Amino acid sequence: MSVHSLSPAFPTAAARMNRIDQRFAELKAAGRTGLIPFVTAGDPRADIESNLAVLRALVDAGADLVELGMPFSDPMADGPAIQRASERALARRVGLTRVLEIVRAFRAGDARTPLVLMGYLNPIEIRGVAGFADEAAAAGVDGLLLVDAPQDDEALLALLQDRRLHLIRLVAPTTGPERMRALARRAGGFLYFVSMAGTTGAARVDAGAIEAQVVALRHMAPVPVAVGFGIKDAESARAVAHCADAVVIGSALVDHLARAADAAEAAQLAAQFIAPIRTALDARQAA
Amino acid sequence: MRSTVKPLRKTGTEIDFHAYPDAQGRFGDYGGVYVAETLIAPLHELTETYLRLRDDPAFQAELERDLKHYVGRPSPIYHAARLSREVGGARILLKREDLNHTGAHKINNTVGQAMVAKRMGKTRIIAETGAGQHGVASATVAARLGLQCVVYMGETDIARQAINVYRMKLLGAAVVPVSAGSKTLKDALNEALRDWVTNVRDTFYIIGTVAGPHPYPMMVRDFNAVVGREARAQMLDEYGRLPDAITACVGGGSNAIGLFHAFLNDRDVRIVGAEAAGEGIASGHHAASLAAGRPGVLHGNRTYVLCDDDGQITETHSISAGLDYPGVGPEHAFLKDAGRAQYVGVTDAEAMQAFHLLARTEGILAALESAHAVAQAVRLARELPRDGIVLCNLSGRGDKDVHTIAAREGITL
Ligand SMILES: Cc1ncc(COP(=O)(O)O)c(C=O)c1O
């Protein structure tokens, strides 16, 4: 029986509670800052084992939630690092089918770590949005972040909610106060604050410059606020953790993994990258 | 004395085609705003500004002055008598956009958008280009207004449009090669969007065709609609009637919608767009998004796209860089579904043949893009009786393509 056919039995509030909510509730109780690494599916290697090894290594090294990128031929909001990762994955024919296989394999060994798929609309439209949402929910996905999907698309939202999937909304420095309030009010899972106008992997974040906006957003939002773009290492993560519920780190990690020759090395590189960031975040909290 | 040839499908007779897009930027199921959050507010501001300027008599008067004195409008409709005779069918008239300053219809749009940019206080202009005509037209207006200009162009296109690359540099623009993906127009558009999202405070993005997120498909159409407005008035004035059929090439679709728009509610005028069929639709090496694609989302709007079953945009092929694009303006997608316009493929070989035919019979070197429209005009003329009229948009001149043509024919210059 699909998740979809079960959903009418869930009351609205319960239907919206999933692994993402549980994880952020745990983080809040523990007073910890969430750590959200992003990797592109099928990169640095296409086989399920390598992808699984990386995801597990990230979790073991302290990731609280993982974002898995769905490769797309025209990633117009991404900088060179994630563009190249997408190109490498597509060259190995990694598409949505493989993405879902990776999620299923991950979920078989990890029932608790929330997983968000991130990508662009066209592959999902072509596969069929409702069918894809069914498959994603059944595979164990918890949220979708669709860069170029209209964030106020009620039909899309209803369709995801029916399957207990969160639509992760983005707020940018250019987002005006009125729209920010509207996005915050409708938010599910967590809000993703984009730290600068630009593509992924651009300049280093200026934590001081975003603080006022992030604080304002946290006041408005019924869900936690994660900050991404321009976070590259322990130092920038710690600076942002000062005002955010969670930090997202993508391009720098993707670049770091690119040189892996096999699954074991990819896993080792992932752990090596994430561990010091975890330590820095926890040290900040202890201080 | 109307011709008996009618549109293939006469559905949608009740639709007012001039009522689109709606307030959300939609043409029926197509168009809209599919972009990253960072661009939502800037697009909103652009829409508000543009809608205000569209109703501002001072803005429109200045635009009209520039189109007349700087671009050289109106462009004539020219009866290609020897071409028509050789084809042996209806009269073929050419709307001479090739005579515009810089050599194509693209300048109609860049003059307009640059005026909007100036009014918004932007100091830097960016553009994407395929054939280089839009890049040249952007560099031209930037030079005239004293704005900085950066043009993104795929490496493949830089190689096949070398003359236009040099023209842009002469005009003071920086040309940035794009090496991602297929290294053509779509990749240049991605890169320009990335620049815009990064520098949105001081930068105005002049999109070169009726694609992109709302308001671009509407705004670019409005600036090019002067082509059809003029042509319709010229038809009535010089021939006392409307044409039986009109045709234009379709890359992103700006010269085509520019010609078509004034005629959309003239139900007896048959409308046909010519897409690049490359080496033939069956070969898979083509850029015929409407004829062979499916509805999807690309570059900020919902439209017909060429992609595989996994939703990955596929590489396209056309001899003409300006048609080598896997999407198409959303208004064309709408017109196709409504049955108001038909979209057909013209191969590289057919375009080359039409290029030579026009050169030999009329002394006009057409742009390779426009040669696709000429090939379609020839087909339509053959279907129509001798007293019929086909109006073809000659969107640009062929100087930029001389090297490509020579290379194809095995000649080194
Ligand atoms: C002369 C000419 N015609 C047509 C096109 C295709 O663009 P559109 O379909 O937007 O008119 C181009 C594009 O570069 C061009 O240079």
Side-chain angles (χ1 to χ4, degrees):
Chain A
M1 189 160 32
S2 77
V3 173
H4 181 42
S5 59
L6 278 175
S7 60
F10 285 87
T12 316
R16 297 173 69 175
M17 186 82 182
N18 72 13
R19 286 185 201 94
I20 299 174
D21 310 295
Q22 280 156 18
R23 176 52 48 93
F24 274 105
E26 290 160 17
L27 286 168
K28 188 171 182 190
R32 298 175 75 200
T33 304
L35 174 55
I36 308 180
F38 166 96
V39 288
T40 299
D43 184 68
R45 301 173 59 78
D47 60 291
I48 309 265
E49 292 68 37
S50 298
N51 282 275
L52 204 53
V54 168
L55 294 176
R56 286 198 176 137
L58 292 171
V59 172
D60 290 344
D64 297 299
L65 181 158
V66 287
E67 271 184 23
L68 187 61
M70 301 177 276
F72 181 48
S73 54
D74 293 79
M76 62 179 184
D78 284 300
I82 294 176
Q83 280 176 52
R84 282 195 299 264
S86 235
E87 276 181 20
R88 287 191 296 262
L90 290 174
R92 300 179 197 113
R93 314 216 132 274
V94 174
L96 288 184
T97 301
R98 176 63 57 89
V99 169
L100 291 167
E101 282 168 9
I102 293 168
V103 175
R104 277 193 289 273
F106 173 72
R107 197 47 85 212
D110 184 335
R112 292 179 37 91
T113 307
L115 187 142
V116 169
L117 291 181
M118 179 163 181
Y120 295 80
L121 198 48
N122 197 59
I124 292 172
E125 288 264 332
I126 296 301
R127 198 174 179 97
V129 179
F132 176 74
D134 281 336
E135 291 180 279
V141 171
D142 304 291
L144 285 182
L145 198 164
L146 300 172
V147 177
D148 56 351
Q151 301 212 74
D152 44 11
D153 185 336
E154 293 296 330
L156 174 65
L157 185 65
L159 198 145
L160 297 183
Q161 271 179 358
D162 279 351
R163 292 156 179 83
R164 303 177 77 197
L165 292 168
H166 283 307
L167 179 64
I168 306 302
R169 306 292 211 306
L170 294 132
V171 171
T174 51
T175 308
E178 205 176 304
R179 181 174 167 87
M180 201 191 250
R181 255 190 304 279
L183 288 170
R185 196 172 337 111
R186 309 283 283 115
F190 63 95
L191 271 166
Y192 188 133
F193 182 80
V194 175
S195 75
M196 68 187 85
T199 51
T200 51
R204 190 173 274 271
V205 63
D206 178 354
I210 61 167
E211 181 168 349
Q213 251 181 321
V214 176
V215 170
L217 187 58
R218 285 176 77 189
H219 277 297
M220 289 173 196
V223 296
V225 174
V227 173
F229 282 44
I231 301 173
K232 298 180 180 303
D233 49 24
E235 190 194 326
S236 45
R238 182 167 40 199
V240 167
H242 184 65
C243 63
D245 295 301
V247 298
V248 184
I249 188 155
S251 300
L253 170 59
V254 164
D255 262 346
H256 189 75
L257 298 183
R259 67 184 136 103
D262 54 30
E265 189 182 0
Q268 188 220 325
L269 288 169
Q272 178 194 65
F273 186 89
I274 287 298
I277 301 173
R278 177 79 267 166
T279 307
L281 292 178
D282 291 347
R284 198 196 69 83
Q285 176 247 330
Chain B
M1 251 193 346
R2 304 303 309 242
S3 126
T4 52
V5 176
K6 287 288 187 293
L8 290 186
R9 287 165 60 200
K10 278 212 85 180
T11 55
T13 26
E14 73 293 344
I15 298 176
D16 173 10
F17 287 101
H18 288 162
Y20 294 87
D22 66 15
Q24 278 68 52
R26 294 204 160 264
F27 302 88
D29 290 339
Y30 302 102
V33 181
Y34 294 81
V35 296
E37 174 62 22
T38 308
L39 290 179
I40 295 289
L43 284 167
H44 191 72
E45 187 195 348
L46 176 60
T47 304
E48 303 263 284
T49 306
Y50 173 65
L51 288 175
R52 190 164 43 71
L53 292 174
R54 192 163 77 163
D55 293 333
D56 177 351
F59 179 87
Q60 291 303 334
E62 187 183 331
L63 178 61
E64 211 169 293
R65 250 190 334 271
D66 277 1
L67 289 177
K68 180 168 179 212
H69 297 287
Y70 189 68
V71 175
R73 304 206 70 89
S75 68
I77 49 174
Y78 165 72
H79 177 202
R82 257 173 55 80
L83 170 67
S84 306
R85 211 171 313 128
E86 178 126 349
V87 169
R91 282 170 286 178
I92 297 172
L93 307 186
L94 303 175
K95 178 64 172 164
R96 298 291 308 274
E97 291 301 296
D98 61 316
L99 297 179
N100 292 340
H101 178 43
T102 71
H105 68 290
K106 298 284 180 188
I107 190 92
N108 301 321
N109 170 44
T110 58
V111 162
Q113 285 200 53
M115 279 174 57
V116 178
K118 197 85 180 167
R119 293 251 192 325
M120 291 178 81
K122 305 289 183 185
T123 55
R124 180 172 174 269
I125 275 175
I126 58 169
E128 87 295 338
T129 197
Q133 284 304 118
H134 175 60
V136 166
S138 297
T140 297
V141 295
R144 178 161 175 258
L145 296 179
L147 301 168
Q148 192 196 341
C149 182
V150 175
V151 179
Y152 290 92
M153 190 166 185
E155 282 180 348
T156 302
D157 293 338
I158 286 182
R160 59 179 162 172
Q161 302 288 344
I163 294 177
N164 272 344
V165 175
Y166 188 54
R167 285 171 82 194
M168 286 182 256
K169 290 181 180 165
L170 289 174
L171 290 160
V175 180
V176 181
V178 178
S179 60
S182 56
K183 306 175 176 46
T184 58
L185 181 55
K186 86 168 169 73
D187 310 286
L189 222 153
N190 287 332
E191 211 50 43
L193 280 166
R194 291 181 188 121
D195 179 315
W196 197 38
V197 83
T198 307
N199 301 297
V200 69
R201 287 203 163 81
D202 69 344
T203 297
F204 190 99
Y205 180 15
I206 302 189
I207 296 187
T209 191
V210 284
H214 181 63
Y216 283 100
M218 169 181 77
M219 181 168 66
V220 177
R221 175 201 69 194
D222 290 352
F223 287 137
N224 266 307
V226 64
V227 175
R229 257 195 328 270
E230 274 177 17
R232 194 173 182 282
Q234 287 164 325
M235 284 300 310
L236 294 173
D237 192 40
E238 297 169 30
Y239 294 85
R241 52 167 289 194
L242 295 178
D244 299 287
I246 61 177
T247 190
C249 64
V250 179
S254 67
N255 88 88
I257 205 70
L259 176 67
F260 298 169
H261 195 255
F263 295 94
L264 290 178
N265 286 337
D266 298 317
R267 313 282 162 169
D268 290 332
V269 177
R270 182 174 168 192
I271 299 179
V272 185
E275 291 191 295
E279 294 163 10
I281 304 252
S283 74
H285 298 239
H286 62 80
S289 316
L290 288 162
R294 45 183 152 183
V297 173
L298 179 66
H299 292 149
N301 68 91
R302 181 184 298 281
T303 187
Y304 278 76
V305 299
L306 292 168
C307 66
D308 63 21
D309 289 341
D310 190 45
Q312 309 300 340
I313 305 302
T314 40
E315 292 201 7
T316 51
H317 166 82
S318 170
I319 190 174
S320 85
L323 304 184
D324 209 347
Y325 181 62
V328 63
E331 191 162 8
H332 289 292
F334 169 62
L335 294 175
K336 172 189 158 86
D337 283 10
R340 179 60 190 102
Q342 251 182 292
Y343 297 87
V344 299
V346 170
T347 63
D348 290 350
E350 289 167 327
M352 283 303 306
Q353 212 179 347
F355 172 88
H356 285 300
L357 180 61
L358 185 68
R360 185 165 53 73
T361 56
E362 298 291 346
I364 297 173
L365 299 182
L368 283 178
E369 291 81 11
S370 320
H372 289 70
V374 173
Q376 182 54 30
V378 166
R379 287 183 193 156
L380 288 164
R382 288 205 176 108
E383 289 176 27
L384 287 163
R386 272 175 195 274
D387 62 356
I389 296 179
V390 177
L391 174 63
C392 170
N393 199 5
L394 198 70
S395 57
R397 65 175 92 120
D399 310 31
K400 69 184 176 62
D401 295 315
V402 166
H403 278 94
T404 304
I405 294 163
R408 186 181 166 95
E409 301 186 341
I411 296 159
T412 16
L413 297 179

